[in-house]
């Protein structure tokens, strides 16, 4: 069984390879860093020469000042350039992940909470650029240490041996603390994602919380999520604190070793005082560079943990909208043939076989939870049957291009949220060819939305607000109907499309839809048996199985489930 915090590099590697990281700019930053390293190593040599007695050498002093100024300018431009690259990398990563999210199959969204996916884009990607910069820093530090040791060896080979004693121990510390850092980062990212999901879900349902008077309950849940995040962040802080004693111990040990051993070599005449000053300046710098290995490894493990789930999502295959045969028109019957489907471990459809005739209205009826809405989602190819197949004529619908297929359908669901923006932008959303103003107005009249739109100050240019919450549920449903009718699809899918409307508007809208259904295929999911009766073809589902198919008269005589649903509603209307 795979561990939850599996320390695999594959998701991170895939994330870096798939997102178009500007490696050429990182190469330029690396070259900048190498130049800075060369200058950094040169300055202690010049300082040692000056302290050796060449302080009155004007050429040496001029070179020292020039190199110092040059190093400052290089450091400034390298910092600015590096910051720009990091910001650009963060933007590229977020853009790529968002693009991939848009094309992920719906099965992925059944596995992950959409609210938790927010942090995959906003939070998990923020440390990638820092991790890359840390890797460049490791390469630069390695080059710098090599130059230092080379110069020290030239002055005193014995000092090189003493300087190298502590390096293996520092590497060991980096590995141990890095593994702790990985686990801490995974825990922190997971708790942050959970906390984001809790807050996002509660804010989107704040009205229900107020109605049921559960403010205190939700307050406690929010506090609990915040407490878990705090504990994860506290654990990560403890891990970071854990490495500090090792760092300070290493630095103190290295300095003490050099001072004692260097003084001994000077007393024996094996080392000049100026050379010792140069080596001591390297001594001050070497722990800083060596310790960067620890921090770089920790950062890389944190980056690995932070990007693990985002990288795993990128490993999920996206839908290929262009693969398959072109589709000109839906002029043939659609047949479900022994279709079985389940959400996770919950079966929804079981060997369902029925036909959706072309050019007519098919009503799908049945008790709640019988799989009616799932049929519409399978028609739109949001999901693929676990068993069986769906045919257009004699050909499986999976053989057609997904973009061509979906462009033939428009669906109006029970909940019809709108996107932020103007009404007009929502009404033309998804159109292959933007409908004319006359078509939009005609569709608005048919959906009974034209009246309240005209009462708005800016009419069709009015803002919808987030998720269209400036409008009631009934108004949003009528706007969704307006959009579907204005785009004139070949197949109209209606999932309880008038359930939020009052009886007057519902009746008027159904009359208009009935007229529109005469020239196109239409599939309606409804509990309104009177509306189902007027359909040319009816499919009855019960517990995921098809228990009847035909017109009203046939089903009323032969299908007990249909007759029971119809009689119960008629009795309720009396």
């Amino acid at each position: 069984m795979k561990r939850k915090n599996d320390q695999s590099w594959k998701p991170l590697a895939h994330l870096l390879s798939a997102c178009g990281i500007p490696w050429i700019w990182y190469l330029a930053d690396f070259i900048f860093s190498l130049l800075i390293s060369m200058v950094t190593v040169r300055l202690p040599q010049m300082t040692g020469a000056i302290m050796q007695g060449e302080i009155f050498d004007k050429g040496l002093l001029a070179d020292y000042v020039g190199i110092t100024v040059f190093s400052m300018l290089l450091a400034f431009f390298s910092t600015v350039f590096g910051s720009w690259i990091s910001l650009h990398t963060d933007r590229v990563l977020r853009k790529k992940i968002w693009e991939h999210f848009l094309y992920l199959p719906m099965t992925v969204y059944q596995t992950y909470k959409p609210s938790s996916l927010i942090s995959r884009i906003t939070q998990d990607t923020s440390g990638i650029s820092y991790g890359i910069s840390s890797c460049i820093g490791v390469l630069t530090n390695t080059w710098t240490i090599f130059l230092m040791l080379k110069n020290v060896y030239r002055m005193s080979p014995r000092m090189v041996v003493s300087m190298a004693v502590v390096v293996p121990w520092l590497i060991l510390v980096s590995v141990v603390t890095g593994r702790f850092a990985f686990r801490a980062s995974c825990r922190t990212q997971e708790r942050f994602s959970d906390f984001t999901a809790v807050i996002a879900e509660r804010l989107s349902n704040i009205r229900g919380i107020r109605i049921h008077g559960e403010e205190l309950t939700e307050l406690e849940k929010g506090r609990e999520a915040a407490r878990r995040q705090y504990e994860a962040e506290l654990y990560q802080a403890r891990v970071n604190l854990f490495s500090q004693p090792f760092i300070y111990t290493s630095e103190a040990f290295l300095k003490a070793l050099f001072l004692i051993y260097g003084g001994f070599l000077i007393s024996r005449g094996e080392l000049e005082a100026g050379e010792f000053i140069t080596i001591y300046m390297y001594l001050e710098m070497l722990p800083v560079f060596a310790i960067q290995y620890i921090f770089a490894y920790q950062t890389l493990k944190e980056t690995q943990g932070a990007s693990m789930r985002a990288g795993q999502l990128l490993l999920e295959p996206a839908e290929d909208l262009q693969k398959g045969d072109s589709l000109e028109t839906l002029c043939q019957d659609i047949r479900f043939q022994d279709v079985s489907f389940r959400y996770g471990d919950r079966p929804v459809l079981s060997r369902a076989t029925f036909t959706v005739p072309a050019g007519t209205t098919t009503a799908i009826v049945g008790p709640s939870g019988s799989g009616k809405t799932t049929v519409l989602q399978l028609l739109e190819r949001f999901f693929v049957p676990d068993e069986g197949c769906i045919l257009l004529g004699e050909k499986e619908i999976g053989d057609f291009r997904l973009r061509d297929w979906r462009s033939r359908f428009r669906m109006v669901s029970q909940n019809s949220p709108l996107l932020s923006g103007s009404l007009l932008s929502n009404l033309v959303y998804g159109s292959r060819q933007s409908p004319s103003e006359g078509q939009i107005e005609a569709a608005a009249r048919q959906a009974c939305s034209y009246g309240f739109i005209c009462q708005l100050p800016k009419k069709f240019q009015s803002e919808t607000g987030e998720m269209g919450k400036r409008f009631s549920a009934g108004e949003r449903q009528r706007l969704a109907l307006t959009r579907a009718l204005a785009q004139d699809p070949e197949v109209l899918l209606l999932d309880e499309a008038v359930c939020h409307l009052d009886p007057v508007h519902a009746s008027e809208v159904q009359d208009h839809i009935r007229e529109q259904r005469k020239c196109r295929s239409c599939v309606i999911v409804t509990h309104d048996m009177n509306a189902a009766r007027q359909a040319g073809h009816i499919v009855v589902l019960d517990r995921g199985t098809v228990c009847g198919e035909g017109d009203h008269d046939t089903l009323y005589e032969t299908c007990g489930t249909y007759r029971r649903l119809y009689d119960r509603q008629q009795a309720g209307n009396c």
Side-chain angles (χ1 to χ4, degrees):
M1 183 176 177
K2 192 174 182 179
R3 291 186 305 168
K4 187 175 182 180
N5 287 343
D6 185 13
Q7 299 189 29
S8 170
W9 294 97
K10 185 177 180 181
L12 177 59
H14 182 75
L15 184 66
L16 295 178
S17 63
C19 291
I21 303 296
W23 296 113
I24 187 66
W25 298 115
Y26 278 110
L27 177 60
D29 186 44
F30 177 58
I31 294 174
F32 266 121
S33 300
L34 290 180
L35 291 175
I36 294 173
S37 295
M38 296 173 67
V39 173
T40 301
V41 173
R42 177 60 180 157
L43 283 175
Q45 290 179 295
M46 300 178 71
T47 302
I50 292 173
M51 298 302 293
Q52 185 69 24
E54 300 179 24
I55 190 171
F56 299 108
D57 187 337
K58 295 182 179 180
L60 181 60
L61 289 175
D63 290 343
Y64 184 83
V65 173
I67 291 178
T68 301
V69 173
F70 180 64
S71 67
M72 292 173 61
L73 292 175
L74 274 179
F76 172 77
F77 285 113
S78 178
T79 301
V80 173
F81 188 56
S83 299
W84 177 83
I85 296 174
S86 296
L87 293 173
H88 180 72
T89 300
D90 290 344
R91 183 177 69 89
V92 168
L93 287 169
R94 287 170 181 145
K95 179 181 177 181
K96 178 63 179 180
I97 293 174
W98 171 239
E99 177 185 352
H100 191 71
F101 277 11
L102 289 176
Y103 293 101
L104 283 175
M106 293 302 294
T107 51
V108 175
Y109 291 97
Q110 294 289 324
T111 305
Y112 298 89
K113 291 182 179 180
S115 54
S116 69
L117 294 178
I118 296 174
S119 62
R120 302 288 82 77
I121 300 176
T122 59
Q123 182 72 12
D124 289 1
T125 58
S126 60
I128 303 295
S129 58
Y130 188 51
I132 297 175
S133 298
S134 296
C135 290
I136 292 177
V138 167
L139 296 176
T140 305
N141 290 341
T142 303
W143 173 247
T144 305
I145 292 173
F146 170 75
L147 293 178
M148 287 182 181
L149 294 178
K150 179 181 178 182
N151 290 336
V152 173
Y153 182 81
R154 191 177 301 159
M155 291 180 282
S156 175
R158 294 186 178 183
M159 294 298 292
V160 175
V161 176
S162 62
M163 291 177 71
V165 169
V166 81
V167 172
W169 186 68
L170 290 175
I171 294 175
L172 177 63
V173 171
S174 68
V175 172
V176 174
T177 57
R179 296 188 68 84
F180 280 102
F182 172 80
R183 297 190 184 98
S185 178
C186 284
R187 183 183 301 182
T188 300
Q189 296 298 325
E190 183 178 351
R191 294 296 181 263
F192 181 85
S193 175
D194 293 342
F195 183 57
T196 302
V198 168
I199 298 302
E201 186 177 14
R202 269 62 185 177
L203 289 179
S204 62
N205 292 280
I206 191 67
R207 183 178 299 178
I209 294 173
R210 296 287 181 82
I211 290 174
H212 294 90
E214 291 292 335
E215 290 90 347
L216 294 178
T217 301
E218 298 304 331
L219 177 62
E220 186 59 32
K221 290 180 180 179
R223 285 176 174 172
E224 177 62 21
R227 183 189 63 78
R228 289 196 298 267
Q229 182 183 354
Y230 167 75
E231 289 178 349
E233 291 173 343
L234 187 62
Y235 175 75
Q236 189 169 19
R238 289 170 180 168
V239 169
N240 293 334
L241 184 63
F242 174 73
S243 63
Q244 296 303 314
F246 290 93
I247 294 172
Y248 295 140
T249 301
S250 302
E251 185 174 352
F253 173 77
L254 192 60
K255 286 183 179 181
L257 177 66
F258 270 71
L259 287 172
I260 296 172
Y261 193 61
F264 173 74
L265 292 178
I266 291 175
S267 67
R268 295 185 59 179
E270 298 181 16
L271 189 67
E272 296 290 337
E275 292 175 337
F276 180 73
I277 291 174
T278 299
I279 295 175
Y280 187 80
M281 292 183 69
Y282 287 156
L283 166 66
E284 291 289 334
M285 297 162 56
L286 184 62
V288 176
F289 287 116
I291 289 168
Q292 291 301 315
Y293 287 103
I294 299 176
F295 292 137
Y297 188 77
Q298 288 178 340
T299 300
L300 193 58
K301 296 299 287 185
E302 290 174 359
T303 300
Q304 179 194 10
S307 62
M308 184 174 61
R309 284 182 292 184
Q312 286 173 341
L313 285 171
L314 281 181
L315 289 171
E316 295 281 354
E319 291 180 334
D320 189 346
L321 301 182
Q322 301 299 333
K323 181 181 179 180
D325 301 331
S326 61
L327 177 64
E328 298 299 330
T329 183
L330 292 174
C331 58
Q332 302 180 74
D333 295 349
I334 299 175
R335 293 188 295 115
F336 281 61
Q337 187 169 306
D338 293 327
V339 171
S340 296
F341 180 77
R342 62 179 62 233
Y343 293 115
D345 296 330
R346 182 171 66 90
V348 181
L349 294 177
S350 176
R351 302 187 64 82
T353 299
F354 61 90
T355 301
V356 179
T360 188
T361 296
T362 299
I364 302 177
V365 300
S368 297
S370 57
K372 302 184 295 298
T373 299
T374 300
V375 169
L376 300 187
Q377 293 178 332
L378 290 173
L379 278 174
E380 291 189 286
R381 291 173 61 184
F382 286 148
F383 301 98
V384 178
D386 297 324
E387 298 177 10
C389 60
I390 305 175
L391 305 173
L392 177 65
E394 299 300 323
K395 196 170 185 178
E396 289 194 28
I397 64 174
D399 294 337
F400 297 104
R401 290 178 188 165
L402 190 55
R403 187 176 294 280
D404 288 350
W405 180 266
R406 286 182 182 162
S407 67
R408 301 301 191 272
F409 293 82
R410 285 297 177 267
M411 181 174 179
V412 181
S413 61
Q414 301 177 41
N415 299 314
S416 302
L418 305 174
L419 297 177
S420 299
S422 67
L423 273 178
L424 183 61
S425 65
N426 275 272
L427 295 180
V428 301
Y429 190 76
S431 302
R432 288 172 292 173
Q433 296 179 346
S434 296
S436 65
E437 184 178 336
Q439 289 175 309
I440 295 175
E441 182 177 329
R445 292 183 185 276
Q446 293 168 357
C448 298
S449 62
Y450 188 74
F452 75 80
I453 291 176
C454 289
Q455 294 177 359
L456 299 172
K458 295 184 179 180
K459 297 181 173 56
F460 284 95
Q461 297 300 328
S462 300
E463 291 294 317
T464 61
E466 184 180 3
M467 301 292 289
K469 289 187 176 180
R470 293 185 180 180
F471 300 96
S472 68
E475 289 172 334
R476 290 198 299 270
Q477 200 161 49
R478 280 182 279 172
L479 290 170
L481 279 166
T482 301
R483 175 170 54 203
L485 295 174
Q487 296 179 15
D488 193 25
E490 289 188 43
V491 181
L492 188 61
L493 306 178
L494 304 175
D495 186 3
E496 296 289 358
V498 295
C499 64
H500 293 302
L501 305 188
D502 60 84
V504 175
H505 283 115
S507 178
E508 188 175 348
V509 168
Q510 285 176 333
D511 290 339
H512 287 304
I513 292 177
R514 195 173 301 117
E515 290 298 319
Q516 290 291 316
R517 292 193 317 226
K518 293 179 180 179
C519 56
R520 64 163 59 89
S521 299
C522 184
V523 182
I524 62 172
V525 168
T526 182
H527 287 103
D528 185 349
M529 301 305 294
N530 289 321
R533 179 178 182 177
Q534 296 171 2
H537 188 74
I538 304 172
V539 177
V540 185
L541 294 177
D542 190 7
R543 298 180 182 178
T545 61
V546 177
C547 58
E549 181 179 8
D551 58 20
H552 167 76
D553 293 335
T554 301
L555 290 172
Y556 192 81
E557 293 295 329
T558 61
C559 180
T561 300
Y562 180 84
R563 182 169 58 251
R564 184 170 60 255
L565 291 171
Y566 184 82
D567 288 344
R568 185 177 300 167
Q569 188 170 91
Q570 297 306 310
N573 293 334
C574 294

